[in-house]
Amino acid sequence: MDATVAPTTPIVERCQALFEDLDFTAAREWKAAADGRKVIGYMPVYVPREIMHAAGMLPLGILGGGESMEVIHGDAYYQSYICRIPRSTIELAITKRLDFVDGMLFPSICDVIRNLSGMWKLMFPGVYVRYFDVPQNFADGIGGSYYVGELNELRKGLEALGGRPITDEALRQSIAVYNENRRLVRALYDYRTQQPWKAPASEVYVVLRAGMVLPVEEHNQLMQDYLAAAEASDRPMRDNCRIVMQGVFCEQPPLNLIKSIELAGCYIVDDDCMLVTRWLMDDVPTDGDPMETLASAFLHQSMETAAKYEPDGSRKGQFLVDTVRRRAAEGVIFAAPSFCDPALLDRPMLARALSDESIPYISFKYAENSGQMQPIREQAGTFADSIKLWSEP
Amino acid sequence: MSDPRTPDVVKEPSMLKQKAMIADNYERLTSAPEAGRKVASTYVPGNLNELIMCFDLLNNLPEINAINNGMRRKSGGMIMEAEKMGHSEDVCTYVKADIGMMAKGNIAPNGKPLPDPDVLLLSYTGCFTFMKWFELLREQYKCPTIMLHVPYEGDGETTDNMRDYVVKQLREEVIPTLEEVSGVKFDIDRLREYLAESARAEDNHVWVLESAKSKPSPIDAYFGGVYYIGPIFTAFRGTPDATEYYRLLRTEIEERMAAGKGPITPEGEMTEEKYRLVVEGPPNWTSFREFWKMFYEEGAVVVASTYTKVGGVYDFGFRHDPAKPLESLADYCLGCYTNRNLPWRVDMLQHYMDAYEADGLLVNSIKSCNSFSAGQLLMMREIERRTGKPAAFIETDLVDPRYFSQANVKNRLESYFQMIDQKRRGGSAPAAA
């Protein structure tokens, strides 16, 4: 191997290519490799990918069109004051980049994505469309039994689409495969916490993003390879501050935004992007009724985000504070998409929780196609300097 | 002495009745601490007024307070106050008006401070923002908060799973917590009585809305409609006062219909009905009168609107049912307009276009309200395609005066009315599906 090339480079280049490929060639090739294969698109924040996997289908994360796609048709469907992800997602579909997708799941995250589910029904009547609701009541006998019902509805829908039953055994096997995926994502995040100079956030991001389009087994291998390559790499530790990036759970920040924050002197040691990969924070049991175990994991072991109700007012923001502490972070960057109701409505409450703990933070907004990074770099740089210069040791 | 530039508003008995009801309710709310009454704050969509009354609680609705402040032109300052406190310029202005109102002393329209609520009843129906709003209020009031999660009708129908979920929450969490907060034991027969009273008012309410099928329409189902929905959407559903209000209103409208009269506007009766419109979306409240005037001056009357279904869709047959009290409350919550999926909403608009013989669809797109606004441009296209009638689009906001551009709205409306005239002259048929 060329000694001047970092060991992570080939993996990152592959992930970058997957990330930039708005035709989803990898997923198309997976579908074409065998007769009868189906692909199910899903939007942020969370869907139980195990059910699609158990149906023999490929779950495909659709996270908008990103910074490079020109939105022409999509803008005709949305007013100027609505965020960009639905318009670029519609653009993907109208330009036939999603013409191989057999179904779309729209999770419960906000009114815009919720209404997009109905728009999809009207615009693409041949596609299986489901608004995937999740409980905001976390009692087993109330929210749990409702959620099991919803999971079974999804299971029935996918069985009808696939033309074959989804067995409990297949579900248990899929849960095991996704447990492995979650373990590896946790390992990746833990590794970045420990040695952020060896696993830059811009690399971790595209490695995670590859999991949106690849079969889970392939993504598991890819993460193992990346972790090994990162450990083998020789990168200098810089005198950066350590921050948590918060608010990027739906519309994605441009990759340049992540790079700009890093270039400004911040190690991103945690974030809330692609929560589907680690929404369930621990292994899901592989015995028992698989729908019950998925439901129980959702109720009792899932992350906090703006789309989820916090029943205990005294704990509002505590998940973020705990993340800051666990990751030994020194501050938080609130980066919310413009017009993102969940992120922007949540932000004052999270900010208060941080203030109560004397954790510094800054806030700005972006769109997935934001191009001008200089102001963000300056703001993040000033934030990093202020932490380094004036924070108490 | 009245201002000669401002015409006297015509007041009918039903209007006076509603005005007194609202004033009495604010008086009860502001005197609650002295009277030993407890207060629940809750929302219009998914409003469980009958249940709240079972616990002798008073019902305070933050959205209605925001509307009141909008119409009295106080909301702008309140919104800016909330923005100064760190709330984004991008988010719902009802929320910011409410938070700004708190910061300015929570003064009710009667000039007295509203008491802090004893319980926040979060009926999460048809609007994601509600959940965040009550999390924000909870920080302020630090009182018990009850979440009633109402699932979204993604496939356009209520399933047994959804209904069971809502009923279980009512039975196992909402009712026990309300008992605890109020100290009043739940009596299901009391609930049944209130629900029966609701159904009586709902029958007349639907009759009133459907009177707009007549030509000329005796009502404006949007600008007038927001007054007609007042009692049934707020703190009065299930009360004899509401029943009496709708009886009075129906009688007045029957008389108007018999006389072939048009709607009453703030400047008197509309004499010529030139355009019959269906309107999608909430109104602007900060310039409500000016906005309405742009319609009636041109002879445009709204014959059906979706906003008047935001606190309950009654004109497709639903009534509160004392025989199935909790199931009926669940069905009510699940069926509110913004909890319906977009295909259902488009079908509803098409039905209104046909059944009310409308000339066109107007969308008032509200910057603050993605629950309504996201998807409206597609809805417009669908209605144009299905009916062959012209649709138009204006943008305003709920209670933020910065987003009401009078000249722009007026220009667009005038162009739209011209478009309808042209369509009439040219004729058109629905486009092929």
Side-chain angles (χ1 to χ4, degrees):
Chain A
M1 181 181 277
D2 182 349
T4 61
V5 176
T8 55
T9 302
I11 300 167
V12 171
E13 283 179 351
R14 181 180 176 224
C15 294
Q16 178 91 23
L18 289 168
F19 165 62
E20 289 171 359
D21 179 11
L22 293 177
D23 289 317
F24 303 100
T25 308
R28 285 176 187 274
E29 287 174 355
W30 178 89
K31 182 173 178 175
D35 286 343
R37 282 185 165 180
K38 306 277 186 198
V39 175
I40 307 295
Y42 63 89
M43 295 198 71
V45 174
Y46 170 73
V47 294
R49 296 185 293 179
E50 291 88 341
I51 301 177
M52 289 164 263
H53 184 266
M57 300 174 182
L58 177 71
L60 176 71
I62 306 290
L63 282 73
E67 56 197 298
S68 59
M69 193 175 73
E70 188 179 5
V71 172
I72 299 166
H73 309 280
D75 279 342
Y77 289 87
Y78 285 103
Q79 299 90 321
S80 57
Y81 51 78
I82 288 177
C83 57
R84 194 167 188 272
I85 186 171
R87 60 187 82 220
S88 65
T89 302
I90 281 187
E91 186 80 17
L92 286 171
I94 289 179
T95 53
K96 303 201 179 301
R97 289 172 166 109
L98 300 178
D99 58 1
F100 68 106
V101 174
D102 304 283
M104 279 290 285
L105 302 183
F106 296 88
S108 164
I109 172 166
C110 71
D111 295 329
V112 172
I113 300 300
R114 185 197 73 178
N115 286 6
L116 183 58
S117 69
M119 293 173 70
W120 220 267
K121 280 177 186 277
L122 288 166
M123 294 172 73
F124 309 104
V127 176
Y128 169 76
V129 175
R130 183 160 184 81
Y131 173 74
F132 182 70
D133 215 344
V134 294
Q136 300 288 358
N137 175 297
F138 305 103
D140 291 296
I142 304 174
S145 62
Y146 163 71
Y147 189 48
V148 168
E150 291 301 295
L151 291 175
N152 279 319
E153 283 291 312
L154 175 61
R155 180 180 185 167
K156 271 193 286 184
L158 295 178
E159 285 175 337
L161 183 67
R164 64 183 170 103
I166 301 171
T167 65
D168 282 359
E169 192 45 40
L171 282 163
R172 289 188 196 103
Q173 286 174 13
S174 297
I175 288 171
V177 174
Y178 275 96
N179 279 343
E180 178 64 9
N181 189 257
R182 284 184 279 268
R183 276 196 289 270
L184 286 162
V185 171
R186 286 198 297 274
L188 183 60
Y189 269 57
D190 289 346
Y191 185 80
R192 182 177 62 171
T193 296
Q194 289 151 12
Q195 301 184 75
W197 57 94
K198 285 194 169 184
S202 52
E203 289 190 2
V204 171
Y205 178 82
V206 291
V207 168
L208 211 59
R209 188 81 189 243
M212 300 293 102
V213 297
L214 293 176
V216 61
E217 297 83 355
E218 208 176 324
H219 188 233
N220 286 351
Q221 186 60 53
L222 187 145
M223 283 193 288
Q224 285 176 345
D225 294 346
Y226 176 79
L227 280 165
E231 183 55 22
S233 63
D234 180 20
R235 288 166 156 165
M237 184 174 79
R238 299 184 190 285
D239 185 27
N240 285 358
C241 72
R242 300 164 60 89
I243 62 101
V244 172
M245 184 163 67
Q246 176 76 22
V248 295
F249 50 81
C250 183
E251 182 173 320
Q252 295 298 286
L255 190 56
N256 272 338
L257 188 148
I258 295 170
K259 289 178 178 171
S260 295
I261 290 173
E262 291 188 309
L263 284 170
C266 300
Y267 283 134
I268 300 171
V269 293
D270 209 331
D271 58 59
D272 59 349
C273 63
M274 287 170 274
L275 290 178
V276 67
T277 60
R278 54 199 187 286
W279 181 254
L280 305 180
M281 296 190 294
D282 209 343
D283 283 0
V284 179
T286 50
D287 53 357
D289 181 307
M291 295 311 190
E292 296 278 354
T293 54
L294 281 170
S296 180
F298 181 92
L299 296 179
H300 305 301
Q301 298 172 29
S302 58
M303 299 184 79
E304 301 295 328
T305 191
K308 184 178 165 190
Y309 180 61
E310 170 53 71
D312 179 355
S314 68
R315 288 200 54 78
K316 185 71 193 176
Q318 193 57 45
F319 188 85
L320 177 59
V321 169
D322 290 346
T323 302
V324 169
R325 300 293 186 224
R326 193 175 70 255
R327 300 296 187 191
E330 297 161 284
V332 171
I333 292 184
F334 288 109
S338 294
F339 306 111
C340 175
D341 277 342
L344 293 169
L345 286 161
D346 224 30
R347 196 176 64 190
M349 293 181 275
L350 300 184
R352 264 191 288 281
L354 294 178
S355 295
D356 289 346
E357 296 289 324
S358 304
I359 298 168
Y361 62 87
I362 56 166
S363 311
F364 54 73
K365 292 189 288 184
Y366 66 88
E368 61 180 9
N369 65 334
S370 291
Q372 179 54 265
M373 290 300 150
Q374 188 60 24
I376 285 172
R377 194 180 302 179
E378 285 172 7
Q379 198 178 346
T382 307
F383 184 54
D385 290 346
S386 72
I387 286 173
K388 285 289 169 198
L389 292 172
W390 293 302
S391 286
E392 288 176 18
Chain B
M1 190 176 159
S2 65
D3 183 342
R5 292 167 300 179
T6 311
D8 288 336
V9 178
V10 180
K11 295 280 185 195
E12 294 208 319
S14 65
M15 297 178 188
L16 298 171
K17 166 87 180 156
Q18 183 172 181
K19 193 175 177 185
M21 286 161 68
I22 292 168
D24 287 349
N25 193 53
Y26 272 118
E27 206 52 46
R28 276 193 295 272
L29 282 168
T30 52
S31 62
E34 299 82 55
R37 300 288 304 269
K38 289 189 172 172
V39 175
S41 274
T42 193
Y43 296 121
V44 168
N47 173 359
L48 301 174
N49 197 51
E50 299 88 348
L51 193 63
I52 289 169
M53 291 195 298
C54 286
F55 299 96
D56 298 328
L57 294 165
L58 296 170
N59 181 344
N60 181 30
L61 296 138
E63 295 143 292
I64 301 300
N65 296 337
I67 291 171
N68 254 305
N69 286 321
M71 293 182 98
R72 293 183 302 131
R73 303 191 181 227
K74 291 176 179 291
S75 54
M78 293 170 174
I79 290 164
M80 283 194 271
E81 186 72 27
E83 289 177 358
K84 271 191 250 168
M85 294 160 66
H87 294 273
S88 169
E89 65 271 25
D90 289 358
V91 302
C92 174
T93 51
Y94 274 169
V95 178
K96 287 184 288 187
D98 190 32
I99 287 168
M101 182 185 177
M102 275 194 282
K104 287 174 178 280
N106 239 354
I107 305 300
N110 61 6
K112 300 173 190 173
L114 284 164
D116 286 358
D118 298 282
V119 61
L120 299 171
L121 176 51
L122 165 53
S123 54
Y124 173 30
T125 304
C127 169
F128 173 84
T129 296
F130 285 153
M131 187 167 83
K132 297 288 108 183
W133 190 349
F134 263 28
E135 282 186 344
L136 287 160
L137 293 191
R138 183 177 62 184
E139 276 196 340
Q140 174 74 21
Y141 294 125
K142 300 190 182 354
C143 64
T145 305
I146 309 170
M147 156 64 100
L148 176 66
H149 175 210
V150 178
Y152 181 62
E153 294 197 336
D155 287 334
E157 59 183 11
T158 299
T159 65
D160 289 344
N161 192 41
M162 294 173 182
R163 185 182 297 108
D164 291 348
Y165 176 42
V166 177
V167 168
K168 268 190 197 173
Q169 290 176 82
L170 289 171
R171 188 175 288 134
E172 296 178 32
E173 296 199 342
V174 176
I175 289 171
T177 312
L178 288 175
E179 282 183 327
E180 203 174 308
V181 168
S182 66
V184 175
K185 185 85 185 142
F186 177 59
D187 175 357
I188 200 158
D189 290 327
R190 191 174 170 190
L191 178 62
R192 289 181 206 277
E193 284 172 24
Y194 291 141
L195 293 172
E197 193 74 50
S198 294
R200 281 191 280 278
E202 286 156 7
D203 283 340
N204 279 335
H205 170 65
V206 170
W207 185 92
V208 167
L209 294 177
E210 292 187 337
S211 71
K213 289 177 182 171
S214 299
K215 288 187 177 179
S217 170
I219 64 165
D220 185 291
Y222 186 56
F223 296 102
V226 301
Y227 294 100
Y228 305 151
I229 58 177
I232 214 153
F233 279 14
T234 62
F236 309 103
R237 202 182 62 220
T239 66
D241 266 345
T243 308
E244 174 62 8
Y245 167 80
Y246 286 103
R247 191 194 63 75
L248 276 174
L249 180 63
R250 177 172 177 162
T251 305
E252 289 160 11
I253 291 168
E254 281 173 340
E255 286 169 7
R256 303 189 65 73
M257 276 171 79
K261 290 181 174 176
I264 294 176
T265 76
E267 295 184 57
E269 276 175 12
M270 221 176 114
T271 50
E272 187 187 11
E273 178 183 283
K274 287 168 68 179
Y275 310 103
R276 294 169 65 84
L277 303 179
V278 172
V279 173
E280 148 69 19
N284 164 270
W285 299 108
T286 52
S287 300
F288 186 81
R289 284 281 181 87
E290 294 86 337
F291 193 25
W292 189 354
K293 188 171 183 173
M294 292 176 202
F295 288 73
Y296 63 73
E297 275 191 341
E298 298 286 342
V301 62
V302 180
V303 290
S305 65
T306 55
Y307 180 70
T308 51
K309 316 300 169 343
V310 74
V313 175
Y314 296 103
D315 55 344
F316 287 73
F318 171 80
R319 296 289 181 276
H320 283 90
D321 182 358
K324 293 181 286 182
L326 297 185
E327 292 79 1
S328 175
L329 287 174
D331 285 345
Y332 155 73
C333 292
L334 286 157
C336 288
Y337 176 69
T338 52
N339 206 50
R340 309 274 191 150
N341 76 354
L342 246 65
W344 195 96
R345 283 158 66 169
V346 171
D347 289 345
M348 182 192 203
L349 284 169
Q350 185 185 356
H351 166 74
Y352 286 160
M353 292 289 294
D354 296 339
Y356 290 78
E357 297 181 64
D359 297 304
L361 169 71
L362 178 74
V363 173
N364 183 32
S365 177
I366 292 292
K367 175 188 173 287
S368 273
C369 188
N370 288 338
S371 182
F372 266 101
S373 301
Q376 281 177 329
L377 291 162
L378 179 62
M379 292 164 84
M380 267 177 66
R381 288 183 192 196
E382 277 294 304
I383 292 301
E384 284 189 322
R385 186 180 65 79
R386 293 183 192 185
T387 68
K389 303 275 177 67
F393 184 83
I394 51 175
E395 288 182 294
T396 69
D397 188 52
L398 296 166
V399 288
D400 191 338
R402 295 172 294 187
Y403 296 102
F404 186 82
S405 168
Q406 184 146 345
N408 274 342
V409 173
K410 193 166 171 51
N411 275 343
R412 286 216 185 180
L413 284 175
E414 285 170 358
S415 302
Y416 180 49
F417 297 137
Q418 286 170 17
M419 197 199 311
I420 293 174
D421 288 337
Q422 280 173 2
K423 276 268 184 184
R424 280 177 178 159
R425 283 195 296 272
S428 68

